[in-house]
Amino acid sequence: MFEGPNYPKPLKESLFQSWLENGRESKIGYTYLLVVWNVYDEKYDPVYVESREAIGAYEAYPNAKGSEALIAVYDLYSESRVTFE
């Protein structure tokens, strides 16, 4: 996943699938999985949020100015990609 010049590096599909499963199994009612690029560690991290409003706390890659950049958002239950601005 996330292969090509628009992304910092590829992500293994199996790791992504485990993130979806972990989010669905959480007792906190998460709705979305955010795939976030950690600039300092140069790796992807999963971030789980309950609402669309929480997505706004992250700036999108490649224009993010902080240590984390939002790569993609997925609905945990439909596994569909969610558009964000």
Side-chain angles (χ1 to χ4, degrees):
M1 296 186 73
F2 307 123
E3 296 177 16
N6 295 331
Y7 301 104
K9 74 181 209 182
L11 173 67
K12 290 184 179 180
E13 184 77 28
S14 59
L15 179 59
F16 174 76
Q17 289 299 322
S18 71
W19 290 349
L20 289 171
E21 291 172 22
N22 291 341
R24 287 191 291 256
E25 292 173 358
S26 174
K27 293 185 189 234
I28 300 172
Y30 293 125
T31 305
Y32 301 103
L33 163 65
L34 281 57
V35 178
V36 174
W37 176 250
N38 184 310
V39 174
Y40 298 123
D41 295 336
E42 294 189 348
K43 67 181 185 93
Y44 291 108
D45 290 323
V47 175
Y48 303 100
V49 297
E50 298 173 53
S51 67
R52 285 184 78 95
E53 291 79 29
I55 298 168
Y58 293 86
E59 294 183 63
Y61 180 85
N63 300 322
K65 295 173 182 70
S67 63
E68 296 179 318
L70 182 60
I71 300 294
V73 178
Y74 289 87
D75 182 287
L76 283 171
Y77 299 96
S78 70
E79 296 185 15
S80 60
R81 192 164 178 167
V82 176
T83 58
F84 60 92
E85 307 233 356

